[in-house]
Amino acid sequence: MSYLKKITESIQQKGISRHFLFWTGIVLLTIPQSVLEREQPFVHALVYKICVLIPQVLASYFFAYFVIPKFLSKKKHVVSFILLVVGTYFFAVLARVFTIYIGEALVRKPPFEKETMVEILTQMRLLILYYVPHIYSTVFIFLAVKFFINYKTVKENELLFMNEKVAAELKTLKAQLNPHFLFNTLNNIYVLSLDNSPKTPKSIEKLSKILDHILYRCNTKYVSLSSEIELIENYIELE
């Protein structure tokens, strides 16, 4: 249930329209090939495509939202490999079952002989050479598109975060560094320099230390109490 819930939440977050457009595109791109290769009517090709499309959809979501995030990304390679083998066999059999019991039932005119479940389960050559490539070619496309969208989203979020961080730092700097204090201090130092006062170098040193603390030394999570005390002392001396 958690697997289905995760898929549902993902579709809702990403937008049903995006998923719908992707699978519609897959159908529209592959049906003409089926029509040309098998010389089938369009309706027949559509029926057979939908029979294979359902396992393709299930396999894509199974690997994209369950196997990869829960096992492969956590380096559980043995479990991932087992799920890959079991999933490959299951989805290939499912596609064959849908084709025989749904697709052919809708397309072919009775009477005709159907394969039994035992025959379908043991047709390893047909499953591996035909159904596995058909299913996993679509799964790989789905995973590639998902990876590209996720990568693009991550980069956009990183850029947005950096912009917000710069804006927040600028806002913090403006809040910490009182312009009135800075202009007054510079003006006073300027007057001291005109008078050749011996206090000029000391005043410049104090202001330099204050700016150094605000701009560079207080960006870490923790700041030492001694540096904060030194900042206050420099501030008072300048005042």
Side-chain angles (χ1 to χ4, degrees):
M1 290 300 293
S2 59
Y3 164 57
L4 295 176
K5 183 179 178 183
K6 188 172 183 179
I7 293 177
T8 305
E9 290 175 351
S10 174
I11 293 175
Q12 290 174 347
Q13 292 173 359
K14 303 297 181 183
I16 296 177
S17 59
R18 183 183 296 179
H19 291 262
F20 178 77
L21 288 174
F22 175 83
W23 293 114
T24 302
I26 292 294
V27 172
L28 295 178
L29 288 173
T30 53
I31 282 184
Q33 182 182 1
S34 300
V35 173
L36 293 174
E37 287 181 354
R38 300 183 180 181
E39 298 181 353
Q40 295 176 327
F42 178 81
V43 176
H44 291 189
L46 179 62
V47 170
Y48 283 120
K49 178 57 192 175
I50 292 176
C51 291
V52 179
L53 180 69
I54 296 173
Q56 287 176 334
V57 172
L58 295 176
S60 298
Y61 289 126
F62 175 71
F63 287 103
Y65 296 103
F66 181 69
V67 176
I68 293 177
K70 276 185 113 31
F71 300 100
L72 190 59
S73 62
K74 296 179 181 178
K75 298 183 178 180
K76 298 180 180 180
H77 300 297
V78 176
V79 180
S80 300
F81 178 75
I82 294 173
L83 289 173
L84 173 64
V85 174
V86 174
T88 300
Y89 178 71
F90 172 78
F91 292 119
V93 168
L94 189 63
R96 184 61 180 167
V97 170
F98 283 173
T99 301
I100 297 298
Y101 287 92
I102 298 178
E104 292 191 354
L106 293 173
V107 171
R108 296 179 64 181
K109 293 181 180 180
F112 59 89
E113 187 178 347
K114 293 182 180 179
E115 297 174 2
T116 64
M117 284 300 299
V118 175
E119 290 175 330
I120 292 175
L121 292 172
T122 54
Q123 289 178 329
M124 300 301 297
R125 182 179 178 84
L126 178 64
L127 295 176
I128 293 174
L129 296 181
Y130 181 79
Y131 286 97
V132 171
H134 272 67
I135 292 173
Y136 278 90
S137 59
T138 303
V139 171
F140 290 144
I141 294 173
F142 182 85
L143 292 176
V145 172
K146 183 178 181 296
F147 173 81
F148 174 77
I149 293 175
N150 288 348
Y151 178 80
K152 185 172 178 290
T153 302
V154 168
K155 289 299 179 182
E156 289 175 350
N157 290 339
E158 287 180 355
L159 181 61
L160 180 62
F161 174 76
M162 290 300 297
N163 291 336
E164 291 177 349
K165 182 181 178 182
V166 170
E169 289 177 348
L170 181 59
K171 185 177 180 181
T172 303
L173 178 60
K174 290 179 178 179
Q176 289 179 334
L177 189 59
N178 191 312
H180 182 71
F181 161 76
L182 180 60
F183 292 141
N184 280 351
T185 304
L186 290 173
N187 187 55
N188 290 336
I189 293 174
Y190 172 71
V191 173
L192 291 174
S193 65
L194 291 177
D195 294 338
N196 293 323
S197 172
K199 295 181 180 180
T200 302
K202 197 69 174 177
S203 300
I204 294 175
E205 179 190 8
K206 298 296 181 184
L207 179 61
S208 175
K209 288 183 178 180
I210 291 175
L211 294 175
D212 178 63
H213 178 87
I214 294 175
L215 294 175
Y216 302 110
R217 300 185 183 279
C218 64
N219 293 326
T220 56
K221 186 175 180 180
Y222 299 105
V223 179
S224 65
L225 183 60
S226 60
S227 64
E228 290 290 333
I229 293 175
E230 183 183 2
L231 172 69
I232 296 172
E233 289 177 344
N234 290 330
Y235 181 87
I236 293 173
E237 287 187 37
L238 277 178
E239 287 288 4

